[in-house]
Amino acid sequence: MRPQLGHRSGVCIAKGKAAPHQVSIPENEPAGTAVIVLRAQDPDEGEAGRLAYSMEALFDERSNDYFTIDAETGSVVTARSLDRETKDTHVLKVTASDHGSPRRRSATTYLTVTVSDTNDHEPVFEQPEYRESIRENLEVGYEVLTIRATDGDAPANANMLYRLLEPGAGDGVFEIDPRSGVVRTRASVDREEVSEYHLVVEANDQGKDPGPRSATAMVHITVEDENDNYPQFSEKRYLVQVPEDAPVNSQILQVQATDRDRGSNAQVHYSIVSGNLKGQFYIHSFSGAIDLINPLDYETIREYTLRIKAQDGGRPPLINSSGMVSVQVVDVNDNAPIFVSTPFQATVLENVPLGYSVLHIQAVDADSGENARLEYKLIEMAPSTGGVPVAGDSGFPFQINNSTGWITVAAELDRETVENYHFGVEARDHGVPVMTSSASVSITVLDVNDNNPTFTEKVYHLRLNEDAAVGSSVLTLTAVDRDVNSVVTYQITSGNTRNRFAITSQSGGGLITLALPLDYKQERQYVLTVTASDGTRFDTVQVFINVTDANTHRPVFQSSHYTVSVSEDKPIGTSIVTISATDEDTGENARITYILDDNIPQFRIDPDTGTITTLMELDYEDQASYTLAITAHDNGIPQKSDTTYVEILILDANDNAPRFLRDRYQGSVFEDVPLSTSVLQLSATDRDSGLNGRLLYTFQGGDDGDGDFYIEPTSGVIRTLRKLDRENVAVYSLRAFAVDRGSPPLKASVDIQVTVLDINDNPPVFEKDEFDIFVEENSPVGSIVARISAADPDEGTNAQIMYQIVEGNIPEVFQLDLLNGDLTALMDLDYESRTEYVIVVQATSAPLVSRATVHIRLLDQNDNPPVLQDFQILFNNYVTNKSNSFPSGVIGKIPAHDPDVSDSLAYTFVQGNELNLLLLDSATGELKLSRDLDNNRPLEALMKVSVSGKQVFECMILLVHQYGGMGRNSTLAV
């Protein structure tokens, strides 16, 4: 007999066809761990009943390496330690074979070993270490990144909790969500205080067997700089003293400003905002060194107050314009005294008293202090001739006050002795080294007379340009004295404001010269009163001098450097700024024209108003700033000009939409992953800056898979939000957006395809719980009578189904193909023996199973002939006085039957009933007597009856009709 497999766990032995066996074994148990003892029963004796056991993997050959079976006892043990994370289910086919002859018989069963979990895996982070950059000054609660750890153990041993460990918890600046692993800011982040944070994150799986396990990961958070610190000067005010003879292109001072930001935000650029009169100084933009680029002149400007701007390199830049530099020009003795007129000429009457002031010698020194304090003395200009005393001799009739420069009479004059005196005068300053200059003096001694000098004109009118050179001739006046040998001298007696003019007597006339420079802005007209005197008598005249303007001043900008801002989205023709320069001249000399020194096609300047407008569209992303050199020149002759610099900062407008790095993203994820599992990460860029370039990721307005996914707004990581089911949705077509924070915001979309990977989470499913199968009897042994199939919504190996008969197949009438579900008859099927079989079939997709009940109903075939046993019908017919006493009803029927229930029998007389003595119902076989037998004649007749269904059966009927004393009787016998 064929062995019948059972199992024993303890002493229990299953009878007959064994159902599949399932057992659970903890992972990591040592090799040799008992799994199960499988027993088969074979009622045969001797070698025919001695069994041998063998085992092989059904689906995965790796299972052969993990288990062994004792060939004699059927004891299954582990061959090596099991690992649930490597393979959690093993399906084995176990065969028991006897040793009978001539043919060995066998039986099979299936063993499913489920490996149960122990907490033998530590959590594993998605990355060995995390690095993230954030910008300082982020809002509290900002999501920095998401930390995720997975655990190969089962969910009960992989329930993650996250926390930050001390030290390195970020000084309270960061916190982590214990469930989701989201790291957020909980306090303000300031890069200038802390530029890097190093956090230690622990993930604990909360396992129970044998206990929890944990792992740590380092999180390095770099704080990116925001331009939130202004440059700060090292001093509130810089003071430097510079000699006026300091060489050109020499450095006089270096200012320094520091910025606590980093990178370009901390790069400081310096410029002079104001106070750089006449462009004397230049500051190096990067170093802050201030150079002298034009000579200084103490006598012109004694102190400069420069305002310095420190501007960092941020976008937009931060500017500190509070830097003050005082440059004090130190005087040096670089100017020799200058006489207001040379030569000096004067006349004096010969009868003037001693001490009489003859001539005022004047010299000026452009220096200051001791360098400009002068002292005068008389000097000899030429050797003495003819006994005429010379300066310095004791008899010289003139002396000079060394402080005031007045020449006075020191001795009596005698025109008849000496009429003319010629000598020199020296002016000496007190500087180091001493500087001197000299001038000649001519004094004529006049005779006393009694006629007043008389001017030839009553009044003089003239124009004089304000840029006339000092010492140039203005006008010659002439006064006539009728006295003999009279000498007329000329003096400006009033109206000589600021001593601009001097007058000397030349050739009998009075020559007015320009002693000091004119200034049209200060005085536009002089009314001089000139006196002509012969020593005792005089005449006066008025000289009207109208000063005309000269192009003496250059245009001057209000600042040497302008900084303005304009948004890049402004239309062409937008006015950006109007700059202006002033000119202290008048008329054409003060009419200013503005020009751009460089050909920068994006801008133009109105030559009359100084308004700068755009000529082209601006693009912050192409160029963030422009520096224009603007020159203002007047329309005087010669032209004079000044130059300033305009820095135009282009402000970013939100004119660039985000762009994803890929046109389409694809990812995959197993359907059984826990919530918040990372699927893939999106990444987009935006050419704008600041908030216009800061991106958020969102599914809003797109497709989030009906809420099955969410996206981290800052990192772009797409994670699962709900449990996935591949059998429900196998592929998601998502659409996400990257949205900037501009106003209005711009966004870009991208399509994402997420493929859900299958796990074996669905049992096989039969079409219905009960099947009715109709099978013709006598089907050949080994023929396929039906195919029973189940469907598994999983895919691949997870959808492989194993079919078994688990109940009702006793004795073993049917066999079910393990893989395709074909139901095969193993023996003859006879409807007449058994009309229906009920079996329970099982579909297994390890370790998941489902069952169905199958009713196998046999269809009858005409495989049996009709059966007729010997029979006889006896009846007596007694004669009565009644005429209707002859039996006319059914006296009996032919007792034939057919085992085939589907057959119907037909009855006919074949022969012997030609006289129609018996009446036969062809359908039922019922017999009646003919009226012809209602007589007293004996009769014996042999009849042949045919009984037919799908097969024909014939029988003989003997009719004996006898007459007795009391009546008649008839006998039918077969």
Side-chain angles (χ1 to χ4, degrees), residues 471-653:
S472 61
S473 298
V474 178
L475 177 66
T476 300
L477 306 176
T478 303
V480 178
D481 192 332
R482 297 175 58 193
D483 290 325
V484 178
N485 298 325
S486 62
V487 176
V488 179
T489 60
Y490 301 86
Q491 286 184 322
I492 301 174
T493 55
S494 66
N496 191 13
T497 306
R498 305 181 195 274
N499 295 322
R500 299 289 188 181
F501 300 95
I503 191 168
T504 57
S505 299
Q506 289 186 350
S507 303
L511 175 62
I512 298 176
T513 60
L514 184 63
L516 293 174
L518 297 175
D519 188 346
Y520 178 82
K521 306 302 180 298
Q522 292 181 340
E523 289 89 21
R524 301 188 179 186
Q525 184 182 57
Y526 294 87
V527 180
L528 306 180
T529 299
V530 180
T531 300
S533 174
D534 61 6
T536 57
R537 298 180 181 273
F538 62 90
D539 190 14
T540 61
V541 73
Q542 284 189 324
V543 179
F544 291 88
I545 301 175
N546 291 319
V547 180
T548 59
D549 184 33
N551 195 19
T552 57
H553 297 88
R554 65 183 180 89
V556 177
F557 283 104
Q558 295 175 355
S559 174
S560 62
H561 189 278
Y562 296 83
T563 301
V564 295
S565 301
V566 61
S567 178
E568 64 174 329
D569 60 354
K570 291 297 183 183
I572 295 174
T574 296
S575 296
I576 299 175
V577 67
T578 298
I579 60 173
S580 62
T582 57
D583 193 318
E584 295 183 4
D585 295 318
T586 60
E588 286 297 294
N589 296 332
R591 185 168 64 85
I592 297 174
T593 301
Y594 302 91
I595 60 172
L596 279 173
D597 288 353
D598 301 317
N599 183 21
I600 299 179
Q602 286 82 1
F603 305 96
R604 70 175 294 273
I605 188 168
D606 188 287
D608 297 321
T609 65
T611 298
I612 298 174
T613 56
T614 58
L615 285 177
M616 299 172 59
E617 291 184 349
L618 305 177
D619 190 350
Y620 170 88
E621 288 71 34
D622 289 339
Q623 188 166 345
S625 65
Y626 297 85
T627 300
L628 311 181
I630 309 297
T631 296
H633 63 78
D634 60 24
N635 287 268
I637 299 175
Q639 283 186 341
K640 294 187 177 182
S641 64
D642 189 16
T643 299
T644 190
Y645 296 91
V646 178
E647 185 175 8
I648 300 176
L649 303 177
I650 309 302
L651 301 180
D652 184 41

Side-chain angles (χ1 to χ4, degrees), residues 672-693:
D672 66 338
V673 296
L675 302 185
S676 296
T677 295
S678 172
V679 180
L680 56 87
Q681 184 172 20
L682 308 181
S683 183
T685 59
D686 194 313
R687 292 184 64 203
D688 295 318
S689 66
L691 290 178
N692 294 332

Side-chain angles (χ1 to χ4, degrees), residues 3-7 12-19 39-41 806 810:
Q4 295 180 342
L5 274 173
H7 76 274
C12 180
I13 299 176
K15 303 284 187 178
K17 175 67 176 181
R39 292 288 193 185
Q41 295 177 341
V806 294
I810 300 174

Side-chain angles (χ1 to χ4, degrees), residues 17-42:
K17 175 67 176 181
H21 306 283
Q22 295 188 356
V23 65
S24 177
I25 298 294
E27 64 176 331
N28 302 326
E29 293 295 315
T33 299
V35 178
I36 193 173
V37 177
L38 297 173
R39 292 288 193 185
Q41 295 177 341
D42 192 325

